[in-house]
Amino acid sequence: MFPTSELSISALASAYAGDALTLAFLTPELASRIQFGWTITIHIIFAALSVGLAPFLVYVTVQEVRTGEERYARLRAFWTKIFAVGFVMGTVTGIPMGFMFGTNFAAFSTTAGEMIGGPLSFEAKMAFMLEAVALGVLLFGRERVSGKMYALSSVFVALGAWLSAFWILVVNSWMQTPRGYEVVMEGGVPIAKLTDPMAAFFNPRFPWMYVHMQNAAIISVTLVIAGIAAYFVWQNRDSDVWRTALRAAVVVLLVTSAFQAIHGDMYGRHVAETQPHKFAAMEAHYETGQADLHLIAIPTDLEAITDPRADNLYTISIPQLASFLASGGDPTAEVTGLNDFEYDSPPVAWVFWSFRIMVGLGFWFIGLGAWGTYRLWRGDLYEDERYLQALMLSSPLGFVALITGWYVAEIGRQPWIIQDVLTTADGVSPPLSSAEATFTLLAFVVGYVLLFGVFLYVLKRLIDEEAERHTVGIEEDDRPDSPGVIADD
């Protein structure tokens, strides 16, 4: 038997596996970073689902109460179930992240506890509770409360979801551009003391990050709505319920994706001013001087993927455009290269390729929105098979763009966990061993894969149930390539 003080995973690993296995473990910093990155990759899907779906729920619920039309009732019932499943999964995948601050990043929690504790408490006690209670009314109260109260519950659900994102992004944006604090030493440990909460909460990054993230969530969910609507319209061109959803999604997609491109351009200029090393990593710009913007970059070999310098890539670039964007209009402006920063560069390949995936998908979404709006104006939106198939295939791509955009923001900040205040290496829990960090990383990878699999299974069940309701009454010959489906719309 091991004494209690020795009952740690690292002790067991050393005892039974030997030094060779111990050396194979990841460092506590790297394992903790991957673990947090992996968990947020899964969790952010459900968080964005709540944020992006909430405005659509308000629209269909208010329309249902105002008009009494069955098509809005069907859409509200279906998407409220999706929202509820996403809310539960977001809660299950989000709670462990709070504990990781203590298990994996205790030094960061000690330094920034005064700053992050308040907003995270507001998120749990204000936003989460409001959203949870109102969602209960929205799920089970259609026949139990008045129409106005029912419509109001959808507004409260949306308010709770958006408030939750507000407080989370207050914390994250402060880590990018910290303000309203002073660092004091207590027992040899740096502590960030709040001196101006308003300056800390509404730091320079917050409005950029909040608008960009919320709009990205709306785009992601709009693509899911459009894809599912396209699937049902493809089955039955006369479905009034899903034609309504498809029309709304196409118009919203065009407006929000175009806005995201304009806003993203201005956001990039702000990043160049406040985090020039992140901007340099986005362009793999190593030497200080005028910078080109690489529109398309194709790696020539494996090394070019892992170390994306322009010389190692086939690129289609616009000369001096990165200088133009960084300076706000001067194509000859000097952009500081990664080699001239005093601290280590972030993992450039992750930032460079994530940025290109995000931007490339963004332009695809604008094209999809314009294509659908043109078809809607021509009056043949529901007859364009290629467009319906493109929407179905594009359903998950909004979340891909959102996740890669998050990688640009978070990985591009490295080596800092709080910009210019605390490095990630110094923020890791001092007692955490390599074995402990590696084993918990593996546990979280397996656990979150299973959770995401459960979500996909439930989502498929809900779509199948809607398909059964959707197809009742359609003659077999009316359905393209799908026998026995009938419509009740």
Side-chain angles (χ1 to χ4, degrees):
M1 292 289 290
F2 283 94
T4 304
S5 60
E6 297 179 5
L7 278 176
S8 66
I9 295 174
S10 59
L12 290 172
S14 298
Y16 291 106
D19 292 339
L21 180 57
T22 302
L23 289 175
F25 295 142
L26 300 176
T27 65
E29 178 196 352
L30 181 59
S32 297
R33 284 172 56 185
I34 296 174
Q35 179 176 314
F36 201 85
W38 168 249
T39 53
I40 204 167
T41 295
I42 301 298
H43 173 71
I44 203 171
I45 294 172
F46 304 115
L49 183 63
S50 294
V51 169
L53 191 52
F56 185 74
L57 279 184
V58 172
Y59 170 71
V60 294
T61 305
V62 170
Q63 288 292 82
E64 176 192 354
V65 171
R66 188 180 68 81
T67 67
E69 294 183 16
E70 175 63 18
R71 54 177 174 161
Y72 294 116
R74 283 270 301 276
L75 289 173
R76 187 264 308 159
F78 176 76
W79 288 107
T80 299
K81 292 177 186 174
I82 302 288
F83 186 97
V85 174
F87 178 81
V88 171
M89 297 303 296
T91 304
V92 172
T93 57
I95 289 176
M97 296 176 66
F99 291 107
M100 284 183 206
F101 287 133
T103 56
N104 293 65
F105 295 100
F108 161 73
S109 300
T110 300
T111 297
E114 189 169 310
M115 171 58 217
I116 67 175
L120 293 182
S121 295
F122 281 134
E123 192 273 336
K125 296 175 181 175
M126 177 198 295
F128 178 80
M129 293 302 294
L130 174 64
E131 187 179 356
V133 172
L135 181 58
V137 178
L138 195 60
L139 278 171
F140 307 112
R142 186 65 186 98
E143 308 300 329
R144 296 177 173 83
V145 299
S146 68
K148 288 183 179 179
M149 182 58 69
Y150 192 70
L152 194 60
S153 69
S154 69
V155 176
F156 284 144
V157 166
L159 183 61
W162 281 54
L163 271 176
S164 180
F166 173 89
W167 290 115
I168 295 296
L169 292 179
V170 160
V171 172
N172 189 267
S173 61
W174 181 83
M175 293 163 66
Q176 309 276 347
T177 54
R179 298 290 189 279
Y181 73 99
E182 64 177 3
V183 176
V184 300
M185 299 301 291
E186 294 184 358
V189 177
I191 304 294
K193 290 284 186 182
L194 269 179
T195 57
D196 186 346
M198 293 303 290
F201 290 177
F202 298 100
N203 61 79
R205 178 59 51 82
F206 175 75
W208 293 103
M209 183 171 277
Y210 190 71
V211 172
H212 206 69
M213 187 66 189
Q214 302 302 87
N215 197 48
I218 291 175
I219 292 172
S220 302
V221 172
T222 298
L223 281 162
V224 173
I225 294 173
I228 292 177
Y231 170 68
F232 287 125
V233 169
W234 177 72
Q235 283 193 326
N236 174 19
R237 300 290 196 274
D238 297 325
S239 170
D240 190 37
V241 172
W242 291 102
R243 284 165 63 127
T244 300
L246 184 58
R247 281 196 304 272
V250 164
V251 174
V252 171
L253 179 61
L254 177 63
V255 174
T256 53
S257 58
F259 173 79
Q260 193 77 337
I262 298 170
H263 184 266
D265 171 60
M266 296 187 290
Y267 187 3
R269 200 168 305 147
H270 166 75
V271 170
E273 293 171 356
T274 56
Q275 291 177 305
H277 69 294
K278 181 188 292 183
F279 186 85
M282 287 158 59
E283 293 302 327
H285 183 65
Y286 286 85
E287 303 297 333
T288 299
Q290 295 176 3
D292 303 336
L293 184 71
H294 307 306
L295 293 178
I296 297 175
I298 302 172
T300 56
D301 51 36
L302 183 61
E303 184 180 353
I305 296 176
T306 57
D307 185 12
R309 298 167 193 259
D311 292 342
N312 296 331
L313 303 169
Y314 291 123
T315 62
I316 298 176
S317 308
I318 299 179
Q320 303 178 331
L321 184 56
S323 292
F324 181 89
L325 296 175
S327 63
D330 180 7
T332 64
E334 187 174 88
V335 176
T336 305
L338 290 165
N339 291 337
D340 289 327
F341 288 99
E342 295 179 357
Y343 41 83
D344 294 337
S345 299
V348 178
W350 278 91
V351 182
F352 180 85
W353 294 114
S354 294
F355 182 67
R356 265 142 198 84
I357 292 171
M358 176 190 68
V359 173
L361 288 175
F363 281 106
W364 170 242
F365 301 155
I366 294 174
L368 271 179
W371 182 2
T373 304
Y374 174 71
R375 288 300 185 190
L376 184 62
W377 175 70
R378 287 273 306 266
D380 58 357
L381 173 66
Y382 318 113
E383 310 305 324
D384 190 337
E385 294 245 349
R386 288 187 179 179
Y387 184 65
L388 297 178
Q389 291 169 355
L391 286 179
M392 285 185 263
L393 293 174
S394 299
S395 287
L397 297 184
F399 288 104
V400 174
L402 185 144
I403 290 169
T404 51
W406 191 253
Y407 288 168
V408 173
E410 299 308 298
I411 299 175
R413 187 182 60 209
Q414 300 302 318
W416 302 103
I417 193 169
I418 306 173
Q419 182 71 43
D420 297 324
V421 176
L422 185 72
T423 64
T424 305
D426 290 335
V428 174
S429 304
L432 187 65
S433 70
S434 295
E436 290 168 336
T438 303
F439 276 122
T440 55
L441 165 63
L442 293 174
F444 272 94
V445 168
V446 173
Y448 275 53
V449 165
L450 293 175
L451 285 173
F452 193 67
V454 170
F455 168 73
L456 292 179
Y457 172 76
V458 175
L459 180 63
K460 182 179 182 304
R461 287 288 302 270
L462 291 174
I463 293 175
D464 288 345
E465 289 175 4
E466 175 61 21
E468 290 179 10
R469 283 190 291 270
H470 177 74
T471 54
V472 173
I474 292 183
E475 294 298 331
E476 184 171 329
D477 291 341
D478 292 339
R479 287 186 303 118
D481 306 328
S482 177
V485 184
I486 321 176
D488 63 351
D489 310 314

